[in-house]
Amino acid sequence: MRWPSHQAVVAAAIAWAEAAIANDPSILALGYFGSYARHQAGVGSDLDIVIIVTSSQASEEPRGSRIDPRLSLRWDFATIPVPVDALVYTLAAWQALSRHPNRMYTTLTTETVWLVGPVEMKAEGRRMKADY
């Protein structure tokens, strides 16, 4: 079995992101973090994606920091050649998290390669980054 190269996975993520933002105006920011962002991915690595959306109908967790994980099911990641783990935040949840940062927030803000965003968070002005 041959695992996809880092470049192939990132190229697929970029193509997926372009399609996702074209079809979903609620996406404010989208990026990847973890082993692919650190260039440490190997055989069996998944692609960790973070998506920040304007709002959601899903109920938020009691801490208010992360949306119901079932929300990530609204996107089809089948075009990405490795398993995908998606974290989805509303803008309000992301901003709340920024006021009380934890280890996960610190990891996301220091490690994420933003494909759309990053979010200093204005609802207007979404665009793909040219410096992948």
Side-chain angles (χ1 to χ4, degrees):
M1 178 180 184
R2 183 172 163 87
W3 200 254
S5 69
H6 180 273
Q7 295 84 356
V9 173
V10 170
I14 291 167
W16 178 87
E18 289 171 343
I21 66 165
N23 293 312
D24 190 340
S26 73
I27 296 174
L28 296 174
L30 188 155
Y32 64 94
F33 64 99
S35 61
Y36 279 96
R38 294 188 307 268
H39 294 272
Q40 297 174 338
V43 173
S45 293
D46 68 346
L47 180 65
D48 300 300
I49 291 179
V50 58
I51 303 170
I52 302 172
V53 296
T54 54
S55 62
S56 169
Q57 299 300 322
S59 62
E60 296 190 14
E61 292 181 8
R63 294 174 312 188
S65 63
R66 188 168 162 219
I67 291 178
D68 183 335
R70 294 170 294 182
L71 184 60
S72 67
L73 298 175
R74 77 191 239 194
W75 294 289
D76 181 2
F77 299 107
T79 59
I80 299 175
V82 296
V84 173
D85 183 18
L87 299 179
V88 183
Y89 294 88
T90 62
L91 176 56
W94 181 259
Q95 290 171 332
L97 192 57
S98 72
R99 288 189 292 276
H100 305 284
N102 59 19
R103 185 175 176 196
M104 187 62 182
Y105 179 80
T106 301
T107 297
L108 290 171
T109 57
T110 59
E111 188 176 285
T112 300
V113 176
W114 294 103
L115 303 176
V116 177
V119 203
E120 262 68 33
M121 272 302 187
K122 296 179 182 164
E124 64 274 0
R126 244 181 17 167
R127 64 179 179 81
M128 293 299 292
K129 295 196 99 176
D131 55 344
Y132 304 73

